[in-house]
Amino acid sequence: MQTENVTFGQWIFLRILWQEDGLSQRELSDRAHLTEPTAHTALIRMEELGYIVRRNVEGNKRRQHAFLTAKGQRLRDLLEPLALEANDMALSGLSENEQNVLRKALTLMIRNLDEDERNAASRGIRVPPTKGTPAS
């Protein structure tokens, strides 16, 4: 999604903040299933574009929370219809049952990869992450 200078990564964070504004970088990265450095980069750019402001809350000087600006809130009315249109286009030709099977299968695949990554980490095994770019 390259509308209004919003990248796909930023779109993910906007969607989360539209549901629950004021989350920390760690909370955002966890909910987006992305690494914290990825979230940090996206949030810096989103702040530069005027979509969010980051500030400390509750006296915690280390943890910053992201809050949507009026401009970031307005993006919802512009971008959500485009996303719905793209989803409809991608699913065209699939029956409702086929769409349900596809969603179920993709969800299961994501859970399997996430569980594999967590299990490997608990055994001290480093595997290429499923939530970001592979470590070198």
Side-chain angles (χ1 to χ4, degrees):
M1 176 156 308
Q2 261 322 114
T3 304
E4 296 299 307
N5 294 318
V6 174
T7 65
F8 182 73
Q10 293 165 357
W11 161 250
I12 293 169
F13 295 117
L14 283 169
R15 287 183 55 213
I16 294 166
L17 290 169
W18 289 329
Q19 296 299 313
E20 188 174 357
D21 201 15
L23 296 172
S24 70
Q25 179 177 304
R26 174 168 287 155
E27 291 167 328
L28 281 166
S29 66
D30 286 346
R31 290 181 190 190
H33 301 289
L34 295 168
T35 64
E36 280 196 64
T38 300
H40 179 74
T41 301
L43 294 174
I44 287 173
R45 183 66 181 136
M46 290 170 70
E47 192 168 34
E48 290 170 351
L49 292 166
Y51 301 151
I52 65 165
V53 294
R54 293 181 303 154
R55 64 178 182 261
N56 304 97
V57 295
E58 302 170 2
N60 187 333
K61 298 198 186 295
R62 292 190 55 185
R63 186 189 314 190
Q64 288 193 322
H65 292 249
F67 295 89
L68 289 163
T69 62
K71 184 177 182 180
Q73 289 283 2
R74 284 193 303 270
L75 284 174
R76 186 175 194 170
D77 292 335
L78 176 67
L79 298 179
E80 276 189 341
L82 295 174
L84 292 172
E85 183 180 324
N87 288 344
D88 288 344
M89 184 184 317
L91 295 171
S92 68
L94 294 175
S95 70
E96 186 175 334
N97 185 56
E98 290 168 327
Q99 291 178 33
N100 290 335
V101 169
L102 175 63
R103 284 187 182 103
K104 185 176 179 180
L106 290 172
T107 300
L108 179 60
M109 292 168 65
I110 290 166
R111 282 189 196 134
N112 289 343
L113 291 170
D114 189 45
E115 184 177 341
D116 180 59
E117 185 177 340
R118 279 194 317 271
N119 288 339
S122 72
R123 295 187 319 269
I125 300 170
R126 188 152 173 86
V127 296
T130 58
K131 298 180 186 173
T133 56
S136 35

